[in-house]
PDB file of all heavy atoms in Angstrom:
ATOM      1  N   PHE A 108      20.226 -68.921  29.756  1.00  0.00           N
ATOM      2  CA  PHE A 108      20.930 -67.643  29.744  1.00  0.00           C
ATOM      3  C   PHE A 108      21.085 -67.088  31.150  1.00  0.00           C
ATOM      4  O   PHE A 108      20.381 -67.480  32.070  1.00  0.00           O
ATOM      5  CB  PHE A 108      20.180 -66.617  28.882  1.00  0.00           C
ATOM      6  CG  PHE A 108      18.887 -66.162  29.502  1.00  0.00           C
ATOM      7  CD1 PHE A 108      18.848 -65.058  30.338  1.00  0.00           C
ATOM      8  CD2 PHE A 108      17.706 -66.849  29.274  1.00  0.00           C
ATOM      9  CE1 PHE A 108      17.656 -64.649  30.930  1.00  0.00           C
ATOM     10  CE2 PHE A 108      16.511 -66.459  29.844  1.00  0.00           C
ATOM     11  CZ  PHE A 108      16.497 -65.351  30.682  1.00  0.00           C
ATOM     12  N   TRP A 109      22.045 -66.195  31.281  1.00  0.00           N
ATOM     13  CA  TRP A 109      22.170 -65.320  32.443  1.00  0.00           C
ATOM     14  C   TRP A 109      22.158 -63.888  31.924  1.00  0.00           C
ATOM     15  O   TRP A 109      22.575 -63.628  30.798  1.00  0.00           O
ATOM     16  CB  TRP A 109      23.527 -65.477  33.129  1.00  0.00           C
ATOM     17  CG  TRP A 109      23.781 -66.660  33.973  1.00  0.00           C
ATOM     18  CD1 TRP A 109      23.266 -66.918  35.212  1.00  0.00           C
ATOM     19  CD2 TRP A 109      24.695 -67.733  33.700  1.00  0.00           C
ATOM     20  NE1 TRP A 109      23.808 -68.093  35.704  1.00  0.00           N
ATOM     21  CE2 TRP A 109      24.681 -68.599  34.793  1.00  0.00           C
ATOM     22  CE3 TRP A 109      25.530 -68.041  32.619  1.00  0.00           C
ATOM     23  CZ2 TRP A 109      25.456 -69.750  34.859  1.00  0.00           C
ATOM     24  CZ3 TRP A 109      26.299 -69.179  32.679  1.00  0.00           C
ATOM     25  CH2 TRP A 109      26.257 -70.024  33.789  1.00  0.00           C
ATOM     26  N   LEU A 110      21.747 -62.963  32.745  1.00  0.00           N
ATOM     27  CA  LEU A 110      21.929 -61.545  32.498  1.00  0.00           C
ATOM     28  C   LEU A 110      22.762 -61.023  33.655  1.00  0.00           C
ATOM     29  O   LEU A 110      22.361 -61.147  34.814  1.00  0.00           O
ATOM     30  CB  LEU A 110      20.583 -60.813  32.413  1.00  0.00           C
ATOM     31  CG  LEU A 110      20.642 -59.329  32.057  1.00  0.00           C
ATOM     32  CD1 LEU A 110      21.282 -59.115  30.681  1.00  0.00           C
ATOM     33  CD2 LEU A 110      19.259 -58.718  32.096  1.00  0.00           C
ATOM     34  N   TRP A 111      23.964 -60.514  33.336  1.00  0.00           N
ATOM     35  CA  TRP A 111      24.910 -60.070  34.362  1.00  0.00           C
ATOM     36  C   TRP A 111      25.175 -58.580  34.249  1.00  0.00           C
ATOM     37  O   TRP A 111      25.217 -58.022  33.155  1.00  0.00           O
ATOM     38  CB  TRP A 111      26.256 -60.782  34.202  1.00  0.00           C
ATOM     39  CG  TRP A 111      26.246 -62.249  34.487  1.00  0.00           C
ATOM     40  CD1 TRP A 111      25.257 -62.993  35.047  1.00  0.00           C
ATOM     41  CD2 TRP A 111      27.306 -63.175  34.203  1.00  0.00           C
ATOM     42  NE1 TRP A 111      25.635 -64.306  35.138  1.00  0.00           N
ATOM     43  CE2 TRP A 111      26.890 -64.445  34.627  1.00  0.00           C
ATOM     44  CE3 TRP A 111      28.567 -63.036  33.627  1.00  0.00           C
ATOM     45  CZ2 TRP A 111      27.685 -65.575  34.513  1.00  0.00           C
ATOM     46  CZ3 TRP A 111      29.365 -64.153  33.508  1.00  0.00           C
ATOM     47  CH2 TRP A 111      28.933 -65.419  33.948  1.00  0.00           C
ATOM     48  N   GLN A 112      25.408 -57.962  35.407  1.00  0.00           N
ATOM     49  CA  GLN A 112      25.852 -56.565  35.497  1.00  0.00           C
ATOM     50  C   GLN A 112      27.297 -56.598  35.972  1.00  0.00           C
ATOM     51  O   GLN A 112      27.571 -57.031  37.092  1.00  0.00           O
ATOM     52  CB  GLN A 112      24.989 -55.797  36.515  1.00  0.00           C
ATOM     53  CG  GLN A 112      25.394 -54.357  36.717  1.00  0.00           C
ATOM     54  CD  GLN A 112      24.929 -53.473  35.585  1.00  0.00           C
ATOM     55  OE1 GLN A 112      23.788 -53.572  35.149  1.00  0.00           O
ATOM     56  NE2 GLN A 112      25.791 -52.608  35.102  1.00  0.00           N
ATOM     57  N   VAL A 113      28.225 -56.191  35.103  1.00  0.00           N
ATOM     58  CA  VAL A 113      29.651 -56.188  35.420  1.00  0.00           C
ATOM     59  C   VAL A 113      30.280 -54.903  34.885  1.00  0.00           C
ATOM     60  O   VAL A 113      29.633 -54.136  34.180  1.00  0.00           O
ATOM     61  CB  VAL A 113      30.380 -57.422  34.830  1.00  0.00           C
ATOM     62  CG1 VAL A 113      29.926 -58.704  35.516  1.00  0.00           C
ATOM     63  CG2 VAL A 113      30.158 -57.525  33.328  1.00  0.00           C
ATOM     64  N   LYS A 114      31.555 -54.692  35.212  1.00  0.00           N
ATOM     65  CA  LYS A 114      32.238 -53.463  34.794  1.00  0.00           C
ATOM     66  C   LYS A 114      32.794 -53.540  33.377  1.00  0.00           C
ATOM     67  O   LYS A 114      33.044 -52.515  32.761  1.00  0.00           O
ATOM     68  CB  LYS A 114      33.355 -53.141  35.778  1.00  0.00           C
ATOM     69  CG  LYS A 114      32.838 -52.755  37.149  1.00  0.00           C
ATOM     70  CD  LYS A 114      33.966 -52.363  38.080  1.00  0.00           C
ATOM     71  CE  LYS A 114      33.392 -51.893  39.396  1.00  0.00           C
ATOM     72  NZ  LYS A 114      33.681 -52.769  40.491  1.00  0.00           N
ATOM     73  N   SER A 115      33.017 -54.763  32.878  1.00  0.00           N
ATOM     74  CA  SER A 115      33.642 -54.900  31.563  1.00  0.00           C
ATOM     75  C   SER A 115      33.399 -56.293  30.995  1.00  0.00           C
ATOM     76  O   SER A 115      33.021 -57.217  31.726  1.00  0.00           O
ATOM     77  CB  SER A 115      35.150 -54.670  31.678  1.00  0.00           C
ATOM     78  OG  SER A 115      35.741 -55.713  32.439  1.00  0.00           O
ATOM     79  N   LYS A 116      33.667 -56.436  29.703  1.00  0.00           N
ATOM     80  CA  LYS A 116      33.605 -57.761  29.081  1.00  0.00           C
ATOM     81  C   LYS A 116      34.630 -58.685  29.720  1.00  0.00           C
ATOM     82  O   LYS A 116      34.347 -59.869  29.948  1.00  0.00           O
ATOM     83  CB  LYS A 116      33.837 -57.667  27.576  1.00  0.00           C
ATOM     84  CG  LYS A 116      33.753 -59.016  26.876  1.00  0.00           C
ATOM     85  CD  LYS A 116      33.764 -58.890  25.377  1.00  0.00           C
ATOM     86  CE  LYS A 116      35.164 -58.626  24.884  1.00  0.00           C
ATOM     87  NZ  LYS A 116      35.272 -58.669  23.414  1.00  0.00           N
ATOM     88  N   ASP A 117      35.804 -58.161  30.046  1.00  0.00           N
ATOM     89  CA  ASP A 117      36.828 -58.982  30.693  1.00  0.00           C
ATOM     90  C   ASP A 117      36.335 -59.552  32.021  1.00  0.00           C
ATOM     91  O   ASP A 117      36.598 -60.712  32.342  1.00  0.00           O
ATOM     92  CB  ASP A 117      38.119 -58.181  30.908  1.00  0.00           C
ATOM     93  CG  ASP A 117      38.871 -57.917  29.614  1.00  0.00           C
ATOM     94  OD1 ASP A 117      38.643 -58.654  28.626  1.00  0.00           O
ATOM     95  OD2 ASP A 117      39.682 -56.973  29.589  1.00  0.00           O
ATOM     96  N   GLU A 118      35.601 -58.754  32.800  1.00  0.00           N
ATOM     97  CA  GLU A 118      35.054 -59.246  34.064  1.00  0.00           C
ATOM     98  C   GLU A 118      34.029 -60.353  33.804  1.00  0.00           C
ATOM     99  O   GLU A 118      34.017 -61.375  34.507  1.00  0.00           O
ATOM    100  CB  GLU A 118      34.419 -58.117  34.874  1.00  0.00           C
ATOM    101  CG  GLU A 118      33.910 -58.605  36.223  1.00  0.00           C
ATOM    102  CD  GLU A 118      33.218 -57.535  37.052  1.00  0.00           C
ATOM    103  OE1 GLU A 118      33.182 -56.357  36.644  1.00  0.00           O
ATOM    104  OE2 GLU A 118      32.688 -57.894  38.123  1.00  0.00           O
ATOM    105  N   ALA A 119      33.196 -60.169  32.795  1.00  0.00           N
ATOM    106  CA  ALA A 119      32.214 -61.209  32.450  1.00  0.00           C
ATOM    107  C   ALA A 119      32.933 -62.497  32.060  1.00  0.00           C
ATOM    108  O   ALA A 119      32.538 -63.596  32.476  1.00  0.00           O
ATOM    109  CB  ALA A 119      31.305 -60.736  31.313  1.00  0.00           C
ATOM    110  N   ILE A 120      33.997 -62.372  31.278  1.00  0.00           N
ATOM    111  CA  ILE A 120      34.764 -63.553  30.867  1.00  0.00           C
ATOM    112  C   ILE A 120      35.365 -64.244  32.080  1.00  0.00           C
ATOM    113  O   ILE A 120      35.312 -65.481  32.194  1.00  0.00           O
ATOM    114  CB  ILE A 120      35.856 -63.155  29.844  1.00  0.00           C
ATOM    115  CG1 ILE A 120      35.206 -62.776  28.517  1.00  0.00           C
ATOM    116  CG2 ILE A 120      36.871 -64.285  29.662  1.00  0.00           C
ATOM    117  CD1 ILE A 120      36.150 -62.105  27.531  1.00  0.00           C
ATOM    118  N   GLU A 121      35.913 -63.468  33.006  1.00  0.00           N
ATOM    119  CA  GLU A 121      36.516 -64.068  34.212  1.00  0.00           C
ATOM    120  C   GLU A 121      35.472 -64.807  35.049  1.00  0.00           C
ATOM    121  O   GLU A 121      35.729 -65.894  35.560  1.00  0.00           O
ATOM    122  CB  GLU A 121      37.249 -63.011  35.033  1.00  0.00           C
ATOM    123  CG  GLU A 121      38.530 -62.529  34.383  1.00  0.00           C
ATOM    124  CD  GLU A 121      39.479 -63.666  33.995  1.00  0.00           C
ATOM    125  OE1 GLU A 121      39.733 -64.557  34.833  1.00  0.00           O
ATOM    126  OE2 GLU A 121      39.948 -63.680  32.835  1.00  0.00           O
ATOM    127  N   TRP A 122      34.283 -64.228  35.185  1.00  0.00           N
ATOM    128  CA  TRP A 122      33.205 -64.927  35.894  1.00  0.00           C
ATOM    129  C   TRP A 122      32.841 -66.218  35.158  1.00  0.00           C
ATOM    130  O   TRP A 122      32.691 -67.267  35.763  1.00  0.00           O
ATOM    131  CB  TRP A 122      31.969 -64.038  36.034  1.00  0.00           C
ATOM    132  CG  TRP A 122      31.993 -63.161  37.236  1.00  0.00           C
ATOM    133  CD1 TRP A 122      32.208 -61.810  37.272  1.00  0.00           C
ATOM    134  CD2 TRP A 122      31.804 -63.568  38.596  1.00  0.00           C
ATOM    135  NE1 TRP A 122      32.165 -61.363  38.564  1.00  0.00           N
ATOM    136  CE2 TRP A 122      31.905 -62.417  39.394  1.00  0.00           C
ATOM    137  CE3 TRP A 122      31.543 -64.791  39.208  1.00  0.00           C
ATOM    138  CZ2 TRP A 122      31.766 -62.451  40.785  1.00  0.00           C
ATOM    139  CZ3 TRP A 122      31.403 -64.828  40.589  1.00  0.00           C
ATOM    140  CH2 TRP A 122      31.518 -63.680  41.368  1.00  0.00           C
ATOM    141  N   LEU A 123      32.687 -66.124  33.843  1.00  0.00           N
ATOM    142  CA  LEU A 123      32.264 -67.286  33.074  1.00  0.00           C
ATOM    143  C   LEU A 123      33.281 -68.423  33.148  1.00  0.00           C
ATOM    144  O   LEU A 123      32.908 -69.594  33.186  1.00  0.00           O
ATOM    145  CB  LEU A 123      31.974 -66.902  31.630  1.00  0.00           C
ATOM    146  CG  LEU A 123      31.370 -67.997  30.769  1.00  0.00           C
ATOM    147  CD1 LEU A 123      30.101 -68.586  31.387  1.00  0.00           C
ATOM    148  CD2 LEU A 123      31.088 -67.478  29.376  1.00  0.00           C
ATOM    149  N   LYS A 124      34.547 -68.097  33.187  1.00  0.00           N
ATOM    150  CA  LYS A 124      35.588 -69.120  33.290  1.00  0.00           C
ATOM    151  C   LYS A 124      35.432 -69.960  34.557  1.00  0.00           C
ATOM    152  O   LYS A 124      35.898 -71.102  34.602  1.00  0.00           O
ATOM    153  CB  LYS A 124      36.975 -68.486  33.277  1.00  0.00           C
ATOM    154  CG  LYS A 124      37.417 -68.001  31.911  1.00  0.00           C
ATOM    155  CD  LYS A 124      38.806 -67.386  32.037  1.00  0.00           C
ATOM    156  CE  LYS A 124      39.375 -66.915  30.746  1.00  0.00           C
ATOM    157  NZ  LYS A 124      40.719 -66.325  30.943  1.00  0.00           N
ATOM    158  N   ARG A 125      34.760 -69.414  35.564  1.00  0.00           N
ATOM    159  CA  ARG A 125      34.549 -70.124  36.831  1.00  0.00           C
ATOM    160  C   ARG A 125      33.312 -71.027  36.809  1.00  0.00           C
ATOM    161  O   ARG A 125      33.098 -71.810  37.730  1.00  0.00           O
ATOM    162  CB  ARG A 125      34.418 -69.114  37.962  1.00  0.00           C
ATOM    163  CG  ARG A 125      35.708 -68.307  38.155  1.00  0.00           C
ATOM    164  CD  ARG A 125      35.542 -67.137  39.080  1.00  0.00           C
ATOM    165  NE  ARG A 125      35.021 -67.534  40.368  1.00  0.00           N
ATOM    166  CZ  ARG A 125      34.628 -66.679  41.302  1.00  0.00           C
ATOM    167  NH1 ARG A 125      34.706 -65.374  41.082  1.00  0.00           N
ATOM    168  NH2 ARG A 125      34.161 -67.106  42.456  1.00  0.00           N
ATOM    169  N   ALA A 126      32.505 -70.923  35.766  1.00  0.00           N
ATOM    170  CA  ALA A 126      31.274 -71.719  35.685  1.00  0.00           C
ATOM    171  C   ALA A 126      31.614 -73.205  35.567  1.00  0.00           C
ATOM    172  O   ALA A 126      32.606 -73.573  34.940  1.00  0.00           O
ATOM    173  CB  ALA A 126      30.434 -71.278  34.489  1.00  0.00           C
ATOM    174  N   PRO A 127      30.789 -74.052  36.159  1.00  0.00           N
ATOM    175  CA  PRO A 127      31.074 -75.499  36.179  1.00  0.00           C
ATOM    176  C   PRO A 127      30.656 -76.239  34.912  1.00  0.00           C
ATOM    177  O   PRO A 127      29.912 -77.221  34.964  1.00  0.00           O
ATOM    178  CB  PRO A 127      30.287 -75.984  37.397  1.00  0.00           C
ATOM    179  CG  PRO A 127      29.115 -75.074  37.454  1.00  0.00           C
ATOM    180  CD  PRO A 127      29.637 -73.728  37.000  1.00  0.00           C
ATOM    181  N   PHE A 128      31.124 -75.767  33.764  1.00  0.00           N
ATOM    182  CA  PHE A 128      30.833 -76.449  32.507  1.00  0.00           C
ATOM    183  C   PHE A 128      31.982 -77.381  32.144  1.00  0.00           C
ATOM    184  O   PHE A 128      33.111 -77.200  32.586  1.00  0.00           O
ATOM    185  CB  PHE A 128      30.633 -75.440  31.364  1.00  0.00           C
ATOM    186  CG  PHE A 128      29.369 -74.642  31.470  1.00  0.00           C
ATOM    187  CD1 PHE A 128      29.431 -73.275  31.682  1.00  0.00           C
ATOM    188  CD2 PHE A 128      28.131 -75.241  31.345  1.00  0.00           C
ATOM    189  CE1 PHE A 128      28.273 -72.522  31.773  1.00  0.00           C
ATOM    190  CE2 PHE A 128      26.967 -74.500  31.436  1.00  0.00           C
ATOM    191  CZ  PHE A 128      27.037 -73.137  31.651  1.00  0.00           C
ATOM    192  N   ASP A 129      31.680 -78.357  31.296  1.00  0.00           N
ATOM    193  CA  ASP A 129      32.679 -79.305  30.831  1.00  0.00           C
ATOM    194  C   ASP A 129      32.161 -79.914  29.531  1.00  0.00           C
ATOM    195  O   ASP A 129      31.080 -79.555  29.054  1.00  0.00           O
ATOM    196  CB  ASP A 129      32.904 -80.387  31.889  1.00  0.00           C
ATOM    197  CG  ASP A 129      34.184 -81.176  31.662  1.00  0.00           C
ATOM    198  OD1 ASP A 129      34.952 -80.835  30.734  1.00  0.00           O
ATOM    199  OD2 ASP A 129      34.413 -82.140  32.406  1.00  0.00           O
TER     200      ASP A 129
END
Side-chain angles (χ1 to χ4, degrees):
F108 70 91
W109 284 287
L110 184 61
W111 292 350
Q112 178 77 45
V113 292
K114 293 183 176 112
S115 67
K116 181 171 77 172
D117 288 339
E118 183 182 356
I120 290 168
E121 289 307 312
W122 273 106
L123 187 54
K124 285 180 178 180
R125 296 169 55 189
F128 290 114
D129 196 5

